[in-house]
């Protein structure tokens, strides 16, 4: 199940920030930082996490408040290799 601030019904904009939740005792949690290439992998990843906090496309900064409230087991960066330089510079 996906949830997104301001979304109506089951339609969400996967280019914007959203949360994915799934039943699964013992599954880890994650924060996902991604660009448009990473967006295509979200569905595959969702099967392996009880909760994923997915940031807006091209937002490479994780706010301290989110990090402390979620306390994720994993932080995953999904980017096209052409964007790596800009990510490392931030």
């Amino acid at each position: 199940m996906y949830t997104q601030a301001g979304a109506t019904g089951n339609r969400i904009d996967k280019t914007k920030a959203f949360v994915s939740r799934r039943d699964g005792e013992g599954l880890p949690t994650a924060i996902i930082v991604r660009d448009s290439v990473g967006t295509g992998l979200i569905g595959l990843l969702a099967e392996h996490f009880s909760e994923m906090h997915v940031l807006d496309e091209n937002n490479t900064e994780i706010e301290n408040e989110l990090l402390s409230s979620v306390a994720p087991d994993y932080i995953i960066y999904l980017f096209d290799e052409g964007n790596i330089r800009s990510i490392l510079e931030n």
Side-chain angles (χ1 to χ4, degrees):
M1 173 177 73
Y2 298 118
T3 57
Q4 184 175 55
T8 57
N10 292 331
R11 304 292 258 158
I12 68 163
D13 181 352
K14 288 189 179 176
T15 65
K16 305 294 182 196
F18 65 93
V19 177
S20 168
R21 290 187 176 89
R22 122 173 244 243
D23 291 335
E25 191 173 318
L27 291 175
T29 60
I31 292 177
I32 309 293
V33 183
R34 47 51 193 259
D35 64 5
S36 60
V37 171
T39 298
L41 299 172
I42 297 300
L44 295 172
L45 287 173
E47 298 176 20
H48 303 284
F49 293 95
S50 62
E51 184 173 296
M52 292 189 324
H53 291 259
V54 183
L55 302 186
D56 285 349
E57 283 185 4
N58 301 313
N59 176 10
T60 60
E61 295 184 29
I62 302 171
E63 296 180 16
N64 288 336
E65 183 178 317
L66 176 64
L67 194 56
S68 62
S69 68
V70 173
D73 297 303
Y74 297 95
I75 297 174
I76 300 172
Y77 287 81
L78 298 170
F79 287 90
D80 177 88
E81 65 185 67
N83 293 329
I84 291 175
R85 181 178 299 274
S86 65
I87 294 163
L88 294 175
E89 290 173 353
N90 289 331

